[in-house]
Amino acid sequence: MVGAETALPLQTDTVLLPERIGELTGLDQFGVGGELLATFLAAFIVGNIMLAMTGVAGPWAKRKITAAFTDRIAVNRLGPAGLLIIVADSVRLLSKELIIPENADRPAYDLAPLIIASSALLGFAVIPMGSGIHLADPEVGLAFVFAVAGIASIGLVMAGYASANKYSMLGGLRAVAQNVAYEIPLVVTGMSVVIFAGSLQMSTIVDAQAQTLVSLGGLDIPAWYALVNPFAFVLFLVANFAEVGRNPFDTPEAPTEIVAGYQTEYSSVYFVLIYLGEFIHIFLGGAIIATIFLGGPAGPVLPGIVWFIIKIWAVFFLTQWLRSAIPRVRIDQLIEIGWKGLLVLSFANLVITAVIVGLIA
């Protein structure tokens, strides 16, 4: 299916961002210390890109998108189009009193928000964003992303247990049950992409999608794996929605059932970290989908980083659309969909993909 010789120009670069910064600033002349500083600066740049997008998505874009779908007027009083609500919400939340439950398990209670937020940021270390913005490119890049993203489950369980609240505990238990049920289909579906690309390395997966799938009237259709294997793409999307806890799979929070689940007892800066972690995970899910199914940063005319951001915002838009359009499933239905539905379908997709690739090879 991807046998054509013609290839689209790639937006990825072989020189990683830390190396590029080291060359531009001369830090590469200072040995290991210079390399570490260049790596820190590169991570600072990538981290701030993600945090800036999260800052826009949480207080402003989420409200605007939901209001559009539900025929309401969202924030519009503070600044143009209500954009200054980002500043207002930041000041409001960070200035609130940090209230600690009397019977809370303090070490776990304090660490949980940090684990939830930092685990998603770690995943961006191996994501090729285009325009030379790529921190690291290990041979096991896709496995690394899945591994660090899964660390968030530990933070959710810690938050639920340490809060000394029965609703928080239920939310933590729901979170781990949901993540176990959907992380396996997520990884197995991702492995079908690995079979096509022949590698776990993120840059190799992006490069493999630069080939031309078919030419129609002089227009080259790229061999994005969303087009090569749309069944796997849909499976991965559904499993990803469950992993990031968006409708119809937001049972760990479920405000109408368990108040706010694992985050019920959190306030002030701790709540900000958990809220931040939730949206960073949505963007990480979008980044993984863009990389392994939508050609990564590849696209015509615009720089690679622009196409990359467009693609992950498209995934974010879809999550908010589903949030407004689809009701929450019950916890028993959620587990049944994961174990009896997605798990079976993901393994079937893996076997069929292996057979097809084997026949083509």
Side-chain angles (χ1 to χ4, degrees), residues 11-235:
Q11 301 272 1
T12 54
D13 296 83
T14 54
V15 180
L16 299 176
L17 185 58
E19 298 171 0
R20 192 181 298 274
I21 290 177
E23 293 174 359
L24 291 175
T25 60
L27 288 172
D28 55 351
Q29 301 176 9
F30 295 95
V32 177
E35 292 177 2
L36 288 175
L37 182 56
T39 302
F40 173 80
L41 291 174
F44 179 80
I45 292 171
V46 172
N48 276 277
I49 290 173
M50 292 303 110
L51 290 175
M53 291 201 306
T54 304
V56 173
W60 184 78
K62 173 185 175 181
R63 289 168 170 163
K64 283 291 188 180
I65 295 171
T66 302
F69 278 118
T70 55
D71 196 22
R72 292 183 293 160
I73 298 176
V75 287
N76 63 351
R77 299 294 179 128
L78 296 175
L83 277 169
L84 288 182
I85 192 66
I86 299 171
V87 179
D89 269 359
S90 299
V91 173
R92 175 176 63 87
L93 289 170
L94 293 175
S95 61
K96 284 183 177 290
E97 180 184 1
L98 178 61
I99 301 173
I100 310 295
E102 183 177 354
N103 297 320
D105 186 333
R106 281 304 297 272
Y109 183 88
D110 295 335
L111 285 173
L114 293 173
I115 292 173
I116 293 170
S118 61
S119 61
L121 280 174
L122 280 173
F124 286 98
V126 298
I127 300 289
M129 301 182 185
S131 303
I133 304 178
H134 193 182
L135 292 180
D137 193 23
E139 293 183 358
V140 292
L142 186 58
F144 174 84
V145 171
F146 286 140
V148 296
I151 296 175
S153 301
I154 300 174
L156 300 181
V157 174
M158 289 172 63
Y161 160 76
S163 295
N165 179 304
K166 62 182 179 182
Y167 297 110
S168 299
M169 188 64 180
L170 282 173
L173 293 175
R174 284 184 173 193
V176 70
Q178 177 169 322
N179 287 344
V180 170
Y182 286 86
E183 196 158 329
I184 298 173
L186 192 76
V187 173
V188 172
T189 306
M191 288 305 102
S192 67
V193 169
V194 173
I195 292 176
F196 272 116
S199 175
L200 285 163
Q201 196 167 13
M202 301 297 263
S203 61
T204 303
I205 294 173
V206 171
D207 290 345
Q209 297 176 76
Q211 299 180 32
T212 299
L213 179 63
V214 64
S215 293
L216 297 174
L219 178 64
D220 292 335
I221 306 299
W224 292 358
Y225 291 133
L227 303 175
V228 174
N229 191 352
F231 180 58
F233 177 58
V234 172
L235 286 178

Side-chain angles (χ1 to χ4, degrees), residues 224-300:
W224 292 358
Y225 291 133
L227 303 175
V228 174
N229 191 352
F231 180 58
F233 177 58
V234 172
L235 286 178
F236 198 92
L237 270 179
V238 175
N240 177 70
F241 292 147
E243 277 293 292
V244 299
R246 307 312 289 173
N247 284 49
F249 306 115
D250 64 334
T251 53
E253 302 172 26
T256 55
E257 300 171 19
I258 51 175
V259 188
Y262 58 87
Q263 58 185 336
T264 297
E265 296 292 349
Y266 282 94
S267 59
S268 188
V269 66
Y270 282 5
F271 174 79
V272 171
L273 284 172
I274 291 177
Y275 194 67
L276 189 72
E278 178 181 334
F279 280 87
I280 296 176
H281 271 89
I282 294 174
F283 281 122
L284 178 59
I288 298 171
I289 291 168
T291 301
I292 68 175
F293 283 105
L294 301 176

Side-chain angles (χ1 to χ4, degrees), residues 306-338:
V306 176
W307 276 113
F308 179 79
I309 290 174
I310 289 173
K311 290 171 185 177
I312 61 178
W313 271 93
V315 175
F316 173 77
F317 179 84
L318 182 58
T319 64
Q320 299 309 305
W321 181 4
L322 294 178
R323 183 173 180 267
S324 301
I326 301 180
R328 180 187 310 119
V329 297
R330 298 195 312 264
I331 182 63
D332 60 309
Q333 294 171 330
L334 180 142
I335 299 301
E336 187 171 353
I337 292 170

